Amino acid sequence: YHGHGGTGSPLDSARVIMDDHFVARDRMGRMIVMTARIAADGLADFPGGSREAGADDTVASSVRAIGVDEKTALLVDPDGTVTTVGNGTAYCCTVGVDSFSDMVCSPGQPLSLPKVECVRLAGASFTQYDNPAADAFDLGAWAPLDGTGVAYSFGIAEGEIVGNAYGP
């Protein structure tokens, strides 16, 4: 992972890591471990946080990640709104600064992270991307739009997921 660079897209300004083939390959754990490493290594540079050259005590306000299923896509509008299309789901997850102080992310120790917040977004047909049934998400506000999506949370204790990582 690298927190610098980018293409100028809304995904760059949201500063998210992404993973694909998400549910089929059970990648929630992998994605959340990467968010924890970004936080623990002080490599985040998100709204509310900062990272100065040489600083090793930087804490961001959150670390964000998106997981997308096979045969599913997120259509990203220039304003940062994403619409979910396809046969599967997408997951927009965040680990907030309130979880950083209780996080254990060290070599040789199992990950512990008290709270991961996610929104599961369902897709609509690729041919109906403007279908109002498609779930939408605002990357700038990091929130679902118009009551779409299913919000939930889970935790990780000593390397084991506590709760349902893919939601209710």
Side-chain angles (χ1 to χ4, degrees):
Y1 57 91
H2 194 288
H4 306 290
T7 63
S9 80
L11 284 173
D12 287 344
S13 63
R15 293 293 182 108
V16 298
I17 61 170
M18 298 188 75
D19 208 339
D20 58 9
H21 302 280
F22 203 62
V23 174
R25 297 185 185 171
D26 195 17
R27 289 189 168 164
M28 181 66 82
R30 177 174 93 162
M31 185 175 79
I32 298 307
V33 166
M34 193 59 97
T35 62
R37 285 198 49 213
I38 288 170
D41 293 349
L43 296 176
D45 182 13
F46 298 101
S50 64
R51 184 171 197 278
E52 298 176 13
D56 58 2
D57 59 352
T58 301
V59 176
S61 62
S62 64
V63 180
R64 300 170 174 172
I66 297 175
V68 181
D69 285 340
E70 294 177 356
K71 299 180 182 177
T72 307
L74 294 178
L75 304 179
V76 183
D77 290 335
D79 68 357
T81 300
V82 297
T83 303
T84 312
V85 296
N87 299 330
T89 53
Y91 296 81
C92 297
C93 300
T94 185
V95 176
V97 69
D98 56 331
S99 288
F100 293 169
S101 61
D102 295 325
M103 176 176 68
V104 175
C105 184
S106 301
Q109 294 185 355
L111 177 65
S112 288
L113 189 58
K115 188 174 184 181
V116 178
E117 296 177 351
C118 296
V119 176
R120 185 180 63 235
L121 305 170
S125 167
F126 278 110
T127 59
Q128 298 175 335
Y129 64 88
D130 58 352
N131 181 334
D135 286 345
F137 195 84
D138 181 336
L139 291 174
W142 200 257
L145 293 179
D146 302 324
T148 64
V150 176
Y152 66 97
S153 63
F154 66 94
I156 301 173
E158 297 184 9
E160 298 292 326
I161 292 176
V162 179
N164 188 342
Y166 298 101

